[in-house]
Amino acid sequence: MAFDDLYQEIILDHAKHPRNKENLDFISDDEIHENPTCGDSVKIAVDFSKDGKLERVRFDGDGCAISTSSASMMTEIVEGKSKEAVLNMIKSFILIMRNEDESSLEDWGDLIALEGVIKYPLRVKCATLPWHALENALL
Ligand code: FES
């Protein structure tokens, strides 16, 4: 199987079976993060453990396959990390996706599948939408 096909499958798997996606109606509309290009939005809920680590990140939203899969992968990779570490990851991920940092997503688990999106600026907004939402939820 070619890499592109493999990455496509990873993206579709997360889009069809998103991890940590739940109804988050308890979150107010002020905290919804929207992609102005398409109007899709995402909400994020964060739970911290007693030692200050991100115990669980949940999301809810109506985004496209790219934003849903990016959100799903994001909730998995940030689990168990400190708030500072996650804020740094968010910064790095956004820079990599915007092609402003040439680092690879090789060590980012399933998120490597999103590297192909970098050449499509409109899709980059989809991929980074949940990351901006998580940043808002953490600040
Ligand atoms: Fe709206 Fe991708 S098209 S988030």
Side-chain angles (χ1 to χ4, degrees), residues 35 38-40 63-64 66-67 123 126 129:
N35 179 348
C38 61
D40 290 337
C64 62
I66 299 285
S67 75
R123 309 313 305 223
C126 303
L129 174 67

